[in-house]
Amino acid sequence: STTVHDTGVRSEQYFSNGLKTSYVQTDVANHFGYDTFSYNYAADGATILNTLTIDDNGHRDVVNYEDGGSLQGGSANDTLVGHLGMDTFVFGPGGGTDYVANFENGVDKLDLSAFALPNLGSIYVENIGTTGVYLYFASGDHLAVNGVTLAQFDASDVKLV
């Protein structure tokens, strides 16, 4: 079903058994500070598997609500928020400056394979305070990762190929 909502559109999709599969709402007039947000639901129609919010500037907040999920931003500056359990944060050339929240050292992975880097030494990495690292890529892209320090960050946290 599709309903006009706050000068935007709300759309809901359902499984054949009548339970909700997805929900999308646009806010054309920007009453709530976003342009679009969406939810995808599990087969029970109530458990949210993931959500995506895109604001005026194309900034994307991607939040994973499921263990073992993969999160990827777009070409603007994005925020990727992991869940408990193994998450894979995908980042590549043209990704801008992204922020990874809730990175679990020794559990989560940064998938940087799109950069085709020979090794971790090809990336300049520095501490951000006491709880994160900042990665600089030759492409001009940057990635801030909260939840791992420079002393902890190593090749086991990254997928290069």
Side-chain angles (χ1 to χ4, degrees):
S1 68
T2 302
T3 310
V4 174
H5 182 75
D6 298 320
T7 68
V9 174
R10 182 176 69 199
S11 175
E12 297 173 87
Q13 303 297 318
Y14 296 88
F15 289 109
S16 59
N17 62 3
L19 296 175
K20 191 182 299 186
T21 63
S22 65
Y23 174 87
V24 177
Q25 179 173 324
T26 60
D27 179 29
V28 176
N30 198 26
H31 292 292
F32 301 107
Y34 61 84
D35 284 336
T36 302
F37 76 84
S38 69
Y39 296 114
N40 288 315
Y41 293 89
D44 66 7
T47 304
I48 297 173
L49 296 178
N50 56 57
T51 181
L52 168 67
T53 304
I54 303 173
D55 77 11
D56 299 311
N57 301 316
H59 171 85
R60 190 179 297 182
D61 292 321
V62 182
V63 181
N64 181 35
Y65 291 100
E66 181 178 21
D67 290 345
S70 177
L71 298 92
Q72 180 172 1
S75 60
N77 302 334
D78 306 309
T79 301
L80 310 174
V81 182
H83 189 267
L84 296 175
M86 189 179 129
D87 295 305
T88 302
F89 300 93
V90 181
F91 187 68
T97 299
D98 286 0
Y99 172 72
V100 171
N102 195 31
F103 186 86
E104 294 179 85
N105 186 43
V107 178
D108 294 337
K109 296 278 185 206
L110 298 176
D111 182 343
L112 307 176
S113 58
F115 286 102
L117 300 168
N119 56 50
L120 190 57
S122 304
I123 307 166
Y124 177 74
V125 184
E126 69 179 16
N127 267 328
I128 304 175
T130 59
T131 61
V133 293
Y134 199 77
L135 287 67
Y136 297 85
F137 298 88
S139 61
D141 298 299
H142 306 98
L143 183 61
V145 182
N146 187 6
V148 61
T149 65
L150 186 58
Q152 297 168 322
F153 187 72
D154 61 28
S156 69
D157 298 314
V158 184
K159 176 184 176 190
L160 294 176
V161 229

